[in-house]
Amino acid sequence: MPEGQSRNDTIEDRLVEDRTFPPPESFRAASLVSSPALYDEANQDWQGFWARQAADLLHWDQDWQTILEWDEPFAKWFVGGKLNVCHNAVDRHVLAGRGDKVAYHWEGEPGDTRTITYADLLADVQRFANVLKGLGVSKGDRVCLYMPMIPELPVAMLACARIGAPHSIVFGGFSPDSLIDRINDAACRVVITADGGYRRGQPLALKPNVDVAVGATPSVEHVVVVKRVNEPVTMVAGRDHWWSDLMAAADAECPCESMDSEDLLFLLYTSGTTAKPKGIMHTTGGYLTQVAFTHKYVFDLHPDTDVYWCAADIGWITGHSYIVYGPLTNGATSVIYEGTPDTPAQDRLWDIAERYGVTILYTAPTAIRTFMKWGAEHPASHDLSKLRLLGSVGEPINPEAWMWYHEHIGGGRCPIVDTWWQTETGAIMISPLPGATITKPGSATFPLPGIEIEVVNEEGQRVERGGGYLTITRPWPSMLRGIYGDPERYQDTYWSSYAGKYFAGDGCKLDDEGYLWLLGRVDDVMNVSGHRLSTAEVESALVDHPAVAEAAVVGAKDDLTGQAVMAFVITRGTHSASPELGAELRGHVATKLGAIARPKVVIFTDELPKTRSGKIMRRLLRDVAEGRDLGDTTTLADPNVVEEIKRRAAESPTED
Ligand code: PRX
């Protein structure tokens, strides 16, 4: 155990990482924020700070009377204000003479491309808004979108926003059952889909899933289908319509509905692994304010020169906020890519980044670790010299993955913004400001201006140093407004652990300089001989070894120690699995974190079970480690992976 460490009832802090990266001088000099002034301004008057952002970044049809009404846990921001999200994202740029500016460079997986200007977007959105009206959709009606990453998806979202109909996007990888639950919970009247989309070089059908689903969703009156892959589909007369037919017949002009700041903009369901999915509610004025603010300052956006690429899926909150609403509100030029990163080859992303001259890239640690596994020769074969800033989101980023991203993608010159947030927070909460913050590999650094975070212990008392639980102590503009139809569950899930604080469900530690290090979900904490260890730290220690590409760690029941550390490891490059390597890795973890964290078993595998958004499903690994039958695997991206891991686990000797 490292010196000075003692047992405590929160999460132990073991990983020591002391490399620091100040913003490069050339970056700092040209950045939007190069000093702590913005933090000072927000500290003096946080509500006034958000009000200034709302006024600076957005067009309001009518001013608000009250910045914030807070009746814990229910917030209302910019009360009395009126605005339209689509007007802010599209119309006002065209009205200001920027209609020819490219909003999206879109690239399909087979290599087809489309360039969409703000004027193009406005034309399509108006027509599609009229299509929706023609199908009987009016303000307040919910619309379900179940689509691939094609330009019609942002068009449909913006058309919904234009007429005040909240959208509920269901990620295209979800099954008919998931679709049924989500459509019924929101009682959607219309579903917008496609015949299919491309994935790994193959058309992946979507419409047949909708056909199954709508048999069990009485609220659905119409289905609109985009033709993308030209696969045969069944169209039910009167119910199903081709997108192109409806668009051709629609009027070209549709005014924006002036919406109340607190009107619902969208629902997005988070797939709980056990319980029924929660319909997270996001509203209009506060959401757009914080999304626009964070997109501008965290990514240091210079809209006239930057080409920005968030390589997430629009079906997740990252895509809602940082492919659609944030970038468009700020008048950015973005890249959207439909498919997978290894089609046709493992350099696809770098080929795209080079061709479009991408300057800002935002992706996830799971993707970065996959790129590490594939090898640095793929990015090295492309000119990535236009890149100037990199971002990470979705999971704790291991220091080694951070360093690899920095060196092999960022050429050693690009700051990295590790951004912590959630579907529920709507927008980034913890992140460096790239021109002002000295970063440390693996730390999301500090709360953004206007945001207040507290790390607390089991009793809810503030922790000044070391591990604990991440809480948010005051309302923020893009916070969820609740769970659709279930205010009690909202209160219970997020506001009942610690009085007066939002509990995010994540472990977090504070270092001596007040940097925040996210430790993953608290459900993922292990208890070994009374020590609460974070899986994220053991995983980082494993990935620190040159032979390891990716690692997932779980605590499995153990008669002697309560739980034992079990490690699932994917080797990197030419390194291959062997009992000797297993022993070496166990020793490596013990050296880095102390003997208590030494894995009892190292199981080598080729893949890890992940959700469709790329998060490791530790629950399933725990089932494997404890020899149980597998629980619910419906949210797993590839169910075959677990069978293979079970086989490997059965072959791995316990190394005590
Ligand atoms: O555990 C945290 C992790 O992802 C969770 C939120 O997941 P989701 O709602 O799907 O949203 C993902 C995109 C915002 C968080 O509770 N997480 C997200 N970003 C980070 C992170 N963990 C560590 N570091 C991050 N930067």
Side-chain angles (χ1 to χ4, degrees), residues 317-318 392-396 418-424 504 506 518 521 615:
I317 190 69
T318 308
S392 171
V393 60
E395 274 178 287
D418 173 10
T419 63
W420 179 89
W421 58 295
Q422 306 178 299
T423 304
E424 291 87 342
D506 282 13
L518 276 306
R521 310 290 301 166
K615 289 193 192 354

Side-chain angles (χ1 to χ4, degrees), residues 356-493:
Y356 295 101
V358 170
T359 60
I360 304 169
L361 177 68
Y362 190 28
T363 186
T366 178
I368 297 165
R369 289 189 299 263
T370 303
F371 303 142
M372 287 171 76
K373 190 167 63 179
W374 289 346
E377 64 272 22
H378 300 295
S381 66
H382 292 276
D383 177 5
L384 301 179
S385 60
K386 292 237 171 62
L387 277 175
R388 62 182 199 89
L389 179 64
L390 302 174
S392 171
V393 60
E395 274 178 287
I397 179 166
N398 327 98
E400 284 318 295
W402 195 104
M403 291 302 298
W404 191 93
Y405 197 29
H406 182 70
E407 275 166 38
H408 295 288
I409 309 302
R413 70 183 176 278
C414 303
I416 296 179
V417 286
D418 173 10
T419 63
W420 179 89
W421 58 295
Q422 306 178 299
T423 304
E424 291 87 342
T425 70
I428 299 170
M429 303 292 281
I430 304 174
S431 167
L433 289 178
T437 311
I438 298 173
T439 55
K440 300 184 183 182
S443 168
T445 72
F446 306 106
L448 287 175
I451 302 298
E452 196 175 65
I453 296 285
E454 212 170 84
V455 179
V456 300
N457 64 15
E458 210 84 55
E459 283 76 47
Q461 292 148 342
R462 189 188 191 105
V463 169
E464 303 288 345
R465 163 86 182 77
Y469 304 99
L470 185 77
T471 66
I472 307 171
T473 51
R474 62 188 181 207
W476 62 102
S478 64
M479 66 189 279
L480 74 166
R481 298 305 195 260
I483 295 173
Y484 193 67
D486 203 343
E488 266 167 48
R489 191 171 174 201
Y490 168 58
Q491 168 100 43
D492 288 352
T493 310

Side-chain angles (χ1 to χ4, degrees), residues 165-225:
H167 54 71
S168 165
I169 304 188
V170 180
F171 173 60
F174 279 128
S175 64
D177 280 348
S178 314
L179 195 52
I180 290 170
D181 290 346
R182 288 158 173 77
I183 292 175
N184 283 339
D185 191 70
C188 296
R189 296 185 66 176
V190 170
V191 179
I192 304 169
T193 187
D195 53 353
Y198 288 100
R199 262 197 108 63
R200 298 230 148 73
Q202 299 296 324
L204 186 77
L206 286 176
K207 175 66 165 55
N209 290 352
V210 176
D211 292 336
V212 174
V214 294
T217 56
S219 60
V220 174
E221 294 159 23
H222 294 283
V223 177
V224 181
V225 189

Side-chain angles (χ1 to χ4, degrees), residues 115-420:
T115 307
I116 300 147
T117 64
Y118 278 89
D120 296 335
L121 208 48
L122 180 58
D124 282 355
V125 167
Q126 293 198 82
R127 275 189 193 279
F128 196 65
N130 282 328
V131 166
L132 289 173
K133 283 184 175 174
L135 296 176
V137 177
S138 51
K139 185 173 166 177
D141 290 338
R142 277 84 53 212
V143 176
C144 173
L145 315 186
Y146 182 66
M147 301 173 77
M149 285 272 283
I150 53 178
E152 287 80 359
L153 175 51
V155 167
M157 294 164 78
L158 292 160
C160 286
R162 193 171 191 88
I163 63 170
H167 54 71
S168 165
I169 304 188
V170 180
F171 173 60
F174 279 128
S175 64
D177 280 348
S178 314
L179 195 52
I180 290 170
D181 290 346
R182 288 158 173 77
I183 292 175
N184 283 339
D185 191 70
C188 296
R189 296 185 66 176
V190 170
V191 179
I192 304 169
T193 187
D195 53 353
Y198 288 100
R199 262 197 108 63
R200 298 230 148 73
Q202 299 296 324
L204 186 77
L206 286 176
K207 175 66 165 55
N209 290 352
V210 176
D211 292 336
V212 174
V214 294
T217 56
S219 60
V220 174
E221 294 159 23
H222 294 283
V223 177
V224 181
V225 189
V226 179
K227 193 172 270 181
R228 166 69 186 136
V229 295
N230 284 315
E231 292 283 295
V233 294
T234 318
M235 299 291 277
V236 174
R239 186 196 73 188
D240 297 351
H241 318 269
W242 288 108
W243 171 288
S244 54
D245 293 347
L246 296 178
M247 285 293 267
D251 281 349
E253 279 176 32
C254 174
C256 289
E257 190 78 36
S258 196
M259 301 297 287
D260 194 274
S261 178
E262 278 300 331
D263 277 335
L264 189 63
L265 177 63
F266 64 82
L267 294 174
L268 183 56
Y269 286 83
T270 58
S271 45
T273 44
T274 46
K276 161 173 177 275
K278 303 188 281 274
I280 303 299
M281 294 160 63
H282 283 292
T283 60
T284 303
Y287 171 78
L288 203 63
T289 298
Q290 192 173 332
V291 163
F293 168 77
T294 50
H295 180 258
K296 177 172 174 177
Y297 291 105
V298 170
F299 297 109
D300 187 49
L301 184 77
H302 292 68
D304 293 335
T305 48
D306 277 320
V307 178
Y308 162 88
W309 184 13
C310 167
D313 194 288
I314 294 176
W316 309 122
I317 190 69
T318 308
H320 283 59
S321 298
Y322 297 107
I323 298 179
V324 180
Y325 291 119
L328 293 178
T329 300
N330 291 332
T333 294
S334 304
V335 170
I336 300 183
Y337 169 55
E338 176 189 29
T340 44
D342 52 354
T343 307
Q346 291 176 344
D347 68 341
R348 182 66 184 268
L349 296 199
W350 319 122
D351 174 51
I352 294 174
E354 178 178 8
R355 271 187 291 112
Y356 295 101
V358 170
T359 60
I360 304 169
L361 177 68
Y362 190 28
T363 186
T366 178
I368 297 165
R369 289 189 299 263
T370 303
F371 303 142
M372 287 171 76
K373 190 167 63 179
W374 289 346
E377 64 272 22
H378 300 295
S381 66
H382 292 276
D383 177 5
L384 301 179
S385 60
K386 292 237 171 62
L387 277 175
R388 62 182 199 89
L389 179 64
L390 302 174
S392 171
V393 60
E395 274 178 287
I397 179 166
N398 327 98
E400 284 318 295
W402 195 104
M403 291 302 298
W404 191 93
Y405 197 29
H406 182 70
E407 275 166 38
H408 295 288
I409 309 302
R413 70 183 176 278
C414 303
I416 296 179
V417 286
D418 173 10
T419 63
W420 179 89

